[in-house]
Amino acid sequence: IPVKASYNWLDSRQWSLYASLGFTMDIPISSSVSSDFVLNGSALLNQKKSLNVPLQWSTGIGIGFQYHITPYLGIFAEPSFQYYIPDGSNIKTYRTEHPYHFTLPIGFRFSW
C-alpha cells in the first residue's frame, strides 16, 4: 500500500520541477521454504515449512523534472531513493541484503 506526497517547486509553460516523499507497506500473504538434503546423489530428506513474514515497510524520496513538449505531452526523469526498513525477522531476503535502492524512471507523460 503506497502513500506518496509531492510538491511542485516550479510549474512553468516549458518545465516542471517537483519533489516527492512517501512510504509503502507490503503485506505478505503466504510464504514457505523447501530444503532438500542429498548425500552421494541420493535424496535423504525433503523438509518444507511455512514462514511467518511480518509487514514490510519502505520509505522513499525523489525529485522529478519534466519538459513539456506540448500542453498534453511531456518527457520526464524522476530519480528516486528508497530505503527498505528492517522488519525484525531473521529471514534473509533481497531487502535485507540490499536495503538501499536507487531508480531512474524516464519516459513520456500524457496529461489532460
Side-chain angles (χ1 to χ4, degrees):
I1 301 172
V3 175
K4 185 189 275 189
S6 62
Y7 180 77
N8 286 332
W9 293 94
L10 170 69
D11 196 8
S12 71
R13 188 170 167 252
Q14 290 292 319
W15 290 95
S16 292
L17 173 64
Y18 49 95
S20 65
L21 176 68
F23 66 91
T24 302
M25 178 181 69
D26 293 314
I27 304 169
I29 297 173
S30 174
S31 185
S32 63
V33 64
S34 178
S35 300
D36 293 321
F37 298 93
V38 179
L39 180 63
N40 296 329
S42 300
L44 297 178
L45 178 65
N46 179 305
Q47 190 176 44
K48 185 174 181 179
K49 69 177 188 174
S50 295
L51 298 176
N52 294 324
V53 182
L55 294 177
Q56 298 175 338
W57 295 87
S58 63
T59 185
I61 189 168
I63 189 164
F65 308 90
Q66 180 169 326
Y67 175 73
H68 304 281
I69 299 169
T70 71
Y72 305 104
L73 176 65
I75 186 167
F76 72 91
E78 293 180 0
S80 64
F81 177 76
Q82 192 163 10
Y83 173 66
Y84 297 115
I85 300 168
D87 59 16
S89 71
N90 61 357
I91 301 170
K92 299 292 184 199
T93 66
Y94 182 83
R95 291 178 177 216
T96 59
E97 299 295 318
H98 306 281
Y100 303 101
H101 189 73
F102 177 78
T103 59
L104 180 58
I106 297 173
F108 292 97
R109 178 173 290 135
F110 300 97
S111 56
W112 58 93

